Amino acid sequence: MSPIAMLIAFMTIVIKEITRFTRIWQQTLVPPAISTLLYFVIFGNLIGPRIGQMDGFDYMDFLVPGLILMSVITASYQNVVSSFFGAKWGKSIEELLVSPTPNLIILLAYICGGVARGVLVGLIVTSVSLLFTDLSIFNGWVLASVVVLTAILFSLGGFINAVFAKTFDDVSIVPTFVLLPLTYLGGVFYSINLLGDFWQQVSKANPILYMINAFRYGFLGITDVSVFFSYGMIIAFIMVFFAISLYLLSHSRGLRA
Amino acid sequence: MTYALKTTSLSKTYGNQIQALKGVDLNVAEGDFFALLGPNGAGKSTVIGILTSLVLKTAGQVEIFGVNIDRNFQKAKSFIGVVPQEFNFNIFETPLQIICNQAGYYGIDRRTALQRSEKYLRLLGLWEKRNDIAGHLSGGMKRRLMIARALIHEPRLLILDEPTAGVDIEIRRSMWDFLKNINAAGTTIILTTHYLEEAEHLCRNIGIINHGTLVENTSMRALLRQLNLETYVLDLETELEELPVPLNSIARLVDRSTLEVDIKRGETLNDVYDALSAASIHVTSMRNKANRLEQLFVDLTRNPGEASS
Ligand SMILES: Nc1ncnc2c1ncn2[C@@H]1O[C@H](COP(=O)(O)OP(=O)(O)OP(=O)(O)O)[C@@H](O)[C@H]1O
Ligand SMILES: [Mg+2]
């Protein structure tokens, strides 16, 4: 395929992906807005004032970055896992697999779709949060890069999940039993400084902690862990997941018998 | 000469240890109209799966227009258009979306894709349905949609896995004409089918595969020449208790009003009729006992050890 042809194939998949999640916006864009609205009302408005300050900030301000990133994680993961598994389940993935579109392009395009939904949902949730607090931005570059990198990573995660999944149940197991606990325990709601030494160390084994802290750093300028280390870790995970995904695309028995 | 398809010792063992292909050597000339025949489970779809990368081969070589799939599968794939045995499009999309997206996967720009979509959807009688939900099309329409999709990048080799399954007689005939035209215009076609009259009508060369082995690879004509015995069924005007002795060597009485006669190659029916007339037996109608090609097919794909009837 010529570079132009590859670009056409790439854009075809990306547009198809974006069209898919915007067509079913009631299932993809509205729920995160509603659930974060509830989080803000309950934890920020009702309980937050009783909590007082967290790491020197109003609880509401502390909470917002974690909730935004949590919705980005869920949205990008969900987009790729449901779209790719759906295509596999309905066999329409064969349209792509029999074509000369290189695996690399297929993977990049699905990531792009996941990032698009992740970023869009992130913006929606951010707008909702503006109803409750004035967001100040400490470093916009950090915010943008952490959101995009995190969305890439979880798009890849969703992709790998979709390749292995055999039933629709397999698609919800990882989000429910892995992603949700890791996110909740990754410091969305609290600073790990509140924990004892032992649990602090345990928490530091959780990769999502680093993403949330780096993202919060972009807003507030505070973090429980090193921001550079966070970047290094996210990028390392992306490289590993990317390699696994590419391998699966050409070798997985879930795609090619 | 370049072959559209050349496989050498092609083998496939699936994960469940089923040996679907056991060293298949298949040659399909450029421009050919080739039938790949074989009973259920013979391995036809497995061959097609390997050509289109949906099945990973265990051993052997595949060349498509001289391009080895191990060296440049991307290029080899760009030559092929495939109509799979099972529906594999997104049932929530419309025919136009499905076809235009497929064009995109082959790197065809949107304008060209739209022009060609109209051309092929019209040719296959689906233009009026272009904006319907694909899941709501009838079975025959879905098959034609997959044919249009396979043609959108104007492939040099069109592979159809049972394209006329579940298609009504009239549309089947028009599909035949359509495929003949495409072949006449230069596209090599490989088709699998369980309708032997279809293969006889369309194809110049055939391969018969059985239990993962190619048992026959020849021209349709040569195959038909192998038919050296035909059985005719004759309906009699009046019932017979038993066959007059002189007829015993040439005919069998199936029931009181039905006779069967075997005619070897080179013999004529006249001798039979003369003998019947001499015995004052009158025939009201006559037909072939079975589709002779079907009988040959059954013989060729009979399991070893099974007695021949
Ligand atoms: N994905 C798979 N995994 C395991 N075994 C398979 C798979 N696909 C096919 N087989 C087995 O391989 C053999 C050949 O199957 P194949 O689909 O190639 O036959 P076919 O000639 O196309 O038959 P049909 O006329 O019924 O379509 C069969 O025994 C089948 O059960
Ligand atoms: Mg088959």
Side-chain angles (χ1 to χ4, degrees):
Chain A
M1 262 186 149
S2 69
I4 303 267
M6 286 194 210
L7 184 68
I8 291 173
F10 174 80
M11 287 311 295
T12 305
I13 305 171
V14 172
I15 292 171
K16 186 175 134 133
E17 282 302 287
I18 294 178
T19 312
R20 191 193 73 90
F21 78 71
T22 46
R23 189 185 56 220
I24 47 170
W25 55 275
Q26 308 93 321
Q27 297 165 48
T28 54
L29 304 178
V30 174
I34 293 179
S35 60
T36 43
L37 185 69
L38 292 172
Y39 279 121
F40 287 138
V41 170
I42 297 168
F43 291 102
N45 261 13
L46 300 178
I47 302 179
R50 300 192 169 206
I51 297 176
Q53 301 239 307
M54 184 78 71
D55 276 355
F57 287 88
D58 277 349
Y59 187 62
M60 187 70 178
D61 291 340
F62 180 88
L63 188 62
V64 168
L67 285 181
I68 295 174
L69 201 67
M70 184 166 96
S71 54
V72 172
I73 288 175
T74 318
S76 48
Y77 193 93
Q78 210 66 46
N79 196 63
V80 182
V81 80
S82 42
S83 170
F84 199 80
F85 179 73
K88 195 176 102 169
W89 199 78
K91 291 209 167 98
S92 65
I93 196 62
E94 292 179 4
E95 294 178 335
L96 260 175
L97 298 179
V98 304
S99 81
T101 303
N103 290 336
L104 179 68
I105 298 287
I106 297 179
L107 185 58
L108 288 176
Y110 269 92
I111 293 174
C112 231
V115 171
R117 174 152 149 206
V119 169
L120 186 57
V121 165
L123 290 174
I124 291 172
V125 171
T126 307
S127 318
V128 172
S129 74
L130 288 174
L131 301 174
F132 297 86
T133 175
D134 308 318
L135 285 174
S136 61
I137 293 178
F138 179 76
N139 186 331
W141 293 109
V142 171
L143 286 183
S145 57
V146 172
V147 163
V148 171
L149 288 172
T150 305
I152 291 175
L153 177 57
F154 286 94
S155 297
L156 285 165
F159 185 86
I160 295 172
N161 189 169
V163 173
F164 282 110
K166 292 204 165 55
T167 65
F168 278 98
D169 287 341
D170 298 341
V171 163
S172 58
I173 284 175
V174 179
T176 314
F177 293 101
V178 181
L179 279 189
L180 193 72
L182 285 185
T183 317
Y184 276 19
L185 300 173
V188 174
F189 299 101
Y190 55 85
S191 156
I192 59 167
N193 291 329
L194 300 184
L195 306 174
D197 260 357
F198 175 75
W199 290 110
Q200 276 196 31
Q201 291 313 316
V202 172
S203 296
K204 283 184 176 172
N206 176 359
I208 294 184
L209 177 83
Y210 297 84
M211 301 169 204
I212 290 175
N213 270 282
F215 191 63
R216 186 176 286 131
Y217 175 83
F219 273 115
L220 308 177
I222 53 156
T223 170
D224 293 341
V225 296
S226 150
V227 173
F228 279 109
F229 182 78
S230 300
Y231 272 106
M233 201 211 49
I234 301 176
I235 290 168
F237 265 104
I238 287 177
M239 291 198 297
V240 173
F241 278 28
F242 197 85
I244 294 174
S245 301
L246 263 190
Y247 178 84
L248 288 174
L249 252 180
S250 52
H251 290 86
S252 166
R253 299 284 155 178
L255 296 175
R256 303 180 206 258
Chain B
M1 121 156 144
T2 20
Y3 288 106
L5 169 67
K6 184 174 170 61
T7 75
T8 320
S9 316
L10 189 62
S11 300
K12 172 65 188 179
T13 305
Y14 281 106
N16 53 7
Q17 299 312 316
I18 288 185
Q19 247 189 305
L21 298 178
K22 304 166 186 160
V24 171
D25 298 310
L26 193 64
N27 294 330
V28 177
E30 184 162 8
D32 200 356
F33 203 137
F34 188 92
L36 189 58
L37 307 175
N40 286 141
K44 306 177 297 291
S45 296
T46 302
V47 171
I48 294 173
I50 292 172
L51 307 183
T52 52
S53 86
L54 294 177
V55 174
L56 304 173
K57 66 185 164 70
T58 312
Q61 300 290 319
V62 177
E63 279 181 17
I64 297 172
F65 293 103
V67 177
N68 188 313
I69 62 167
D70 293 324
R71 296 221 187 88
N72 195 347
F73 213 157
Q74 233 188 71
K75 183 163 181 201
K77 285 201 250 181
S78 70
F79 295 143
I80 301 178
V82 63
V83 179
Q85 185 170 5
E86 286 167 46
F87 301 130
N88 70 343
F89 45 80
N90 185 334
I91 52 170
F92 300 111
E93 290 173 1
T94 68
L96 197 59
Q97 285 171 334
I98 290 169
I99 293 184
C100 284
N101 282 339
Q102 189 71 12
Y105 305 154
Y106 286 82
I108 295 165
D109 67 83
R110 202 77 187 167
R111 257 180 55 132
T112 315
L114 283 167
Q115 285 166 359
R116 284 198 200 163
S117 302
E118 174 161 0
K119 173 179 165 191
Y120 288 107
L121 285 175
R122 279 193 193 283
L123 273 173
L124 285 149
L126 288 171
W127 182 243
E128 306 304 319
K129 301 275 179 188
R130 65 188 176 280
N131 292 322
D132 287 12
I133 297 295
H136 293 171
L137 298 178
S138 78
M141 291 176 188
K142 286 177 181 160
R143 258 189 213 283
R144 282 180 281 150
L145 169 59
M146 296 205 297
I147 297 181
R149 185 184 63 181
L151 289 170
I152 195 71
H153 62 291
E154 308 198 323
R156 291 169 72 184
L157 171 61
L158 179 65
I159 303 177
L160 308 116
D161 202 346
E162 296 187 31
T164 53
V167 172
D168 74 39
I169 298 166
E170 199 184 328
I171 296 200
R172 173 173 304 169
R173 303 254 162 195
S174 74
M175 240 183 205
W176 286 358
D177 291 339
F178 180 76
L179 293 176
K180 276 182 159 173
N181 286 338
I182 286 189
N183 178 245
T187 308
T188 311
I189 298 183
I190 298 177
L191 152 147
T192 80
T193 180
H194 290 293
Y195 305 108
L196 294 183
E197 46 152 344
E198 179 165 292
E200 186 176 0
H201 184 81
L202 290 173
C203 302
R204 277 191 289 286
N205 290 295
I206 65 152
I208 298 181
I209 195 169
N210 192 29
H211 295 296
T213 311
L214 199 66
V215 292
E216 192 70 76
N217 187 4
T218 177
S219 71
M220 200 64 183
R221 235 182 244 147
L223 185 76
L224 291 172
R225 266 204 300 275
Q226 282 189 31
L227 302 163
N228 47 18
L229 191 77
E230 278 200 64
T231 304
Y232 293 93
V233 180
L234 311 181
D235 298 313
L236 307 181
E237 194 179 51
T238 45
E239 299 198 344
L240 283 183
E241 282 300 330
E242 59 180 18
L243 207 56
V245 178
L247 286 169
N248 264 339
S249 59
I250 51 171
R252 292 179 300 277
L253 195 60
V254 181
D255 60 46
R256 287 178 173 201
S257 55
T258 315
L259 269 186
E260 270 185 17
V261 294
D262 295 330
I263 303 293
K264 293 204 185 69
R265 194 144 48 101
E267 289 179 351
T268 65
L269 274 167
N270 291 45
D271 302 336
V272 178
Y273 278 118
D274 289 346
L276 288 172
S277 301
S280 299
I281 297 172
H282 298 284
V283 176
T284 57
S285 65
M286 179 186 81
R287 63 182 188 278
N288 267 32
K289 184 177 181 185
N291 180 323
R292 51 212 182 113
L293 201 55
E294 275 180 13
Q295 190 53 47
L296 178 64
F297 177 81
V298 170
D299 290 342
L300 282 169
T301 57
R302 192 188 311 283
N303 288 329
E306 241 179 79
S308 114
S309 61

